[in-house]
């Protein structure tokens, strides 16, 4: 049995099938990379209220702003409302 080398036409057909498979994959990868870049550059949103901690605060120690900030991190962590 004699096997002839692939003809130009069959090589082109195989190459064409590979291109049609790779093209959508490349587009999907580029879109995914672009979306990941956009999402990681956006600022994160706090899940709840931000609780402020300042060792030198002199206010009501509620953690709601810098004047009324908690004076220790432990106090802020003990408040269940403080999530950030």
């Amino acid at each position: 049995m004699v096997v002839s080398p692939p003809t130009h036409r069959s090589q082109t057909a195989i190459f064409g099938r590979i291109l049609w498979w790779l093209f959508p994959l490349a587009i999907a990868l580029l879109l995914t990379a672009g979306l990941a870049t956009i999402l990681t550059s956006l600022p994160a949103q706090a899940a709840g209220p931000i609780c402020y901690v300042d060792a030198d605060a002199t206010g009501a120690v509620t953690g709601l702003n810098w004047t009324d900030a908690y004076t220790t991190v432990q106090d802020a962590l003990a408040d269940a409302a403080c999530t950030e």
Side-chain angles (χ1 to χ4, degrees):
M1 172 185 219
V2 177
V3 177
S4 62
T7 64
H8 177 67
R9 175 174 271 171
S10 66
Q11 289 173 342
T12 304
I14 291 170
F15 184 68
R17 280 188 241 139
I18 291 172
L19 280 182
W20 281 110
W21 180 78
L22 286 177
F23 183 71
L25 180 62
I27 295 297
L29 289 174
L30 288 172
L31 289 174
T32 303
L35 183 61
T37 301
I38 290 169
L39 292 178
T40 56
S41 65
L42 294 176
Q45 296 295 320
I50 295 174
C51 293
Y52 295 87
V53 178
D54 182 1
D56 299 323
T58 58
V61 191
T62 60
L64 297 177
N65 54 47
W66 287 116
T67 304
D68 298 328
Y70 289 110
T71 54
T72 66
V73 173
Q74 288 78 14
D75 290 339
L77 292 174
D79 184 354
C82 291
T83 57
E84 296 291 324

